[in-house]
């Protein structure tokens, strides 16, 4: 009898551990723009500097290449984006938030590479001398992958940013 | 006797190490390094997640490196140890009897691409564009460099710029001879002095179409004699004689309206003379965009695509134009659209030869 009870408990524990392993996905109808706006509100981001959003269609391959690599050339990753919302600096702040949605789970690693290139581009240009807080923000920056979404956050309160995006999870 | 000496030696060493280790956590954390002009890493927060991911120990390492007691002193000590070993330089700064000279960093040279970006900007805006590369201290003080320094590589860079600029839709103003023969550069910093800025201003007159004021027009005002420039702060050669800052003042220079990133600032920020980075007396330091106007709205508008060399020349150019200074390290919006929207009449690209040769930021000029 004791053995059967132990076996039942072991199965329950095993099933519980399996359930714990699932990461929350975003709801299917959430947009990158909604996620971006919630992050900017939660982190009390300074007024708009420059925002690229799919609803305005204001990012082309050259714009994406300038953002990611600081080079004026075609950026093939644009074709991998089904949705995007990027808040970046036009000169009054060094905050940065990017919410990218891949057009398939297989494209997610390439978007993560894109963010890595953006980090490298951001670290050039002495932005730490423009804003002394920039180096600290960059060292605390967060990069999250949630399903098809890749999110990059450079703010003064990245924990608040991560909490803000929880509301969009299933 | 030897045993006693060993005991004393080990005891003293342990006490020093213990004192240094404890003092890191007792002494208040510094937020900014004035010597290095950057923010310092603060004490990281301990969380279970960070602890097990290894992120905490990594952050702790950065924190300890930045908050180490007497850090500036140890950096300086290391600099002079390097000299004692006849290395002649520290952290990329060459020590000479006349000046601390930043070694030229010319990896990833992209002169063609950058000049192409400037040309495309000129084509898109149909504005007259003047490009004025500024020599660096390694050009100006080349006669003091060690004989083993590869001077020919530096000279080749200038030849490349001259050749690549021929038959382009912009004009190149050559400031090399006038600035290099003047020696009007700081000895502990990479910038020219205000005298050097005046020489550049005088030589730009023909290209931009103004008659420069004579040097007699200005009143020289000595505002600092303890300026530790970037070369000194980077290298740690703190015993090198410090520089003087002399401003060229004139009656109108307090009457301009100066707006930097949306905020009103003075042309000269004299509070910065109380800090280590005294060069920030010019326009208060780094800004993405600075507008300088005299309020008359009757003058031509000059757009200056610049790096920090434009800070000290701005007061001279402001005598002739309403200025918009754009630093592409921080301003990443469309400069072409700005030029059209704000009725810019002329454009000056004023950057150091190194920035012009290696910077990726000039690509932003191609944004329409």
């Amino acid at each position: 009898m004791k053995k059967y009870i132990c076996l039942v408990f072991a199965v329950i524990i095993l099933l519980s551990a399996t359930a714990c392993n699932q990461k929350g996905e975003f709801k299917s109808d959430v947009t990158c723009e909604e996620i971006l706006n919630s992050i900017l509100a939660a982190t009390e981001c300074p007024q708009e500097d420059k925002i690229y959003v799919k609803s305005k269609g204001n990012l082309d391959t050259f714009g994406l290449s300038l953002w990611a690599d600081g080079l004026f050339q075609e950026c093939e990753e644009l074709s991998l984006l089904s949705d995007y919302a990027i808040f970046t600096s036009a000169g009054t702040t060094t905050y940065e938030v990017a919410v990218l949605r891949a057009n398939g789970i297989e494209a997610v690693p390439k978007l993560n590479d894109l963010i890595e290139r953006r980090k490298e581009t951001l670290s050039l240009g002495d932005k730490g001398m423009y804003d002394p807080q920039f180096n600290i923000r960059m060292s605390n920056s967060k990069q999250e992958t949630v399903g098809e979404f890749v999110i990059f956050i450079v703010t003064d309160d990245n924990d608040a940013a991560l909490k803000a995006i929880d509301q969009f999870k299933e | 006797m030897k045993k006693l000496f060993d005991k004393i030696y080990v005891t003293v060493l342990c006490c020093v190490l213990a004192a240094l280790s404890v003092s890191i956590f007792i002494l208040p954390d510094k937020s900014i390094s004035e010597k290095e002009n950057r923010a310092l890493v603060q004490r990281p927060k301990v969380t279970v997640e960070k602890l097990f991911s290894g992120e905490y120990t990594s952050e702790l390492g950065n924190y300890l490196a930045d908050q180490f007691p007497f850090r500036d002193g140890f950096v300086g000590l290391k600099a002079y140890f390097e000299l004692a070993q006849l290395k002649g330089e520290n952290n990329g700064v060459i020590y000479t009897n006349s000046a601390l000279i930043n070694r030229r960093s010319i990896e990833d040279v992209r002169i063609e691409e950058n000049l192409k970006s400037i040309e495309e900007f000129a084509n898109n805006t149909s504005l007259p564009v003047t490009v004025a590369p500024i020599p660096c201290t390694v050009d100006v003080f080349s006669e003091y460099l060690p004989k083993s320094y590869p001077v020919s590589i530096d000279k080749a860079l200038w030849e490349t710029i001259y050749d690549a600029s021929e038959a382009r839709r912009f004009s190149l103003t050559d400031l090399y001879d006038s600035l290099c023969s003047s020696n009007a550069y700081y000895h502990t910093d990479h910038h020219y002095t205000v005298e050097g800025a005046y020489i550049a201003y005088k030589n730009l007159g023909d290209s931009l179409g103004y008659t420069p004021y004579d040097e007699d027009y200005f009143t020289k005002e000595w505002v600092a004699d303890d300026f530790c420039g970037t070369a000194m702060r980077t290298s740690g050669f703190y015993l090198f004689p410090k520089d003087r800052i002399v401003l060229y003042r004139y009656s109108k220079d307090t009457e301009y309206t100066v707006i930097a990133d949306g905020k009103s600032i003075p042309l000269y920020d004299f509070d910065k003379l109380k800090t280590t980075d005294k060069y920030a007396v010019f326009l208060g330091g780094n800004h993405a965009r600075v507008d300088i106007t005299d309020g008359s709205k009757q003058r031509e508008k000059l757009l200056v695509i610049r790096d920090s060399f434009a800070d000290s020349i701005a007061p001279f150019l402001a005598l002739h134009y309403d200025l918009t200074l754009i630093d592409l390290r921080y301003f990443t919006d469309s400069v072409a659209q700005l030029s059209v929207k704000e009725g810019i009449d002329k454009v000056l690209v004023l950057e150091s030869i190194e920035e012009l040769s290696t910077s990726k930021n000039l690509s932003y000029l191609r944004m329409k």
Side-chain angles (χ1 to χ4, degrees), chain B residues 122-170:
Chain B
N123 284 331
N124 289 339
T125 57
S126 303
L127 288 170
V129 176
T130 301
V131 178
I134 307 288
C136 297
T137 48
V138 77
D139 302 304
V140 175
F141 296 122
S142 58
E143 62 189 283
Y144 303 109
L145 290 167
K147 289 191 172 32
S148 55
Y149 185 87
V151 175
S152 58
I153 296 178
D154 291 343
K155 288 203 168 142
L157 190 66
W158 282 94
E159 291 302 324
T160 308
I161 283 242
Y162 295 143
D163 292 341
S165 298
E166 278 177 16
R168 295 262 190 187
R169 202 207 164 289
F170 56 77

Side-chain angles (χ1 to χ4, degrees), chain B residues 11 197 227 275 291 302 319:
Chain B
T11 307
F227 173 38
T275 67
D291 294 284
L302 177 68
L319 282 163

Side-chain angles (χ1 to χ4, degrees), chain B residues 184-186 191-200 215 244-249 268 279 281-282 312-313 315-316:
Chain B
Y185 275 62
Y186 294 111
H191 296 107
Y192 45 33
T193 60
V194 177
E195 184 193 346
Y198 174 76
I199 291 168
E215 206 168 347
R244 280 184 190 171
I245 297 180
V246 177
L247 304 179
Y248 280 33
R249 306 294 306 272
Y268 296 110
Y279 189 77
V281 68
F282 304 105
S312 52
I313 203 177
F316 296 113

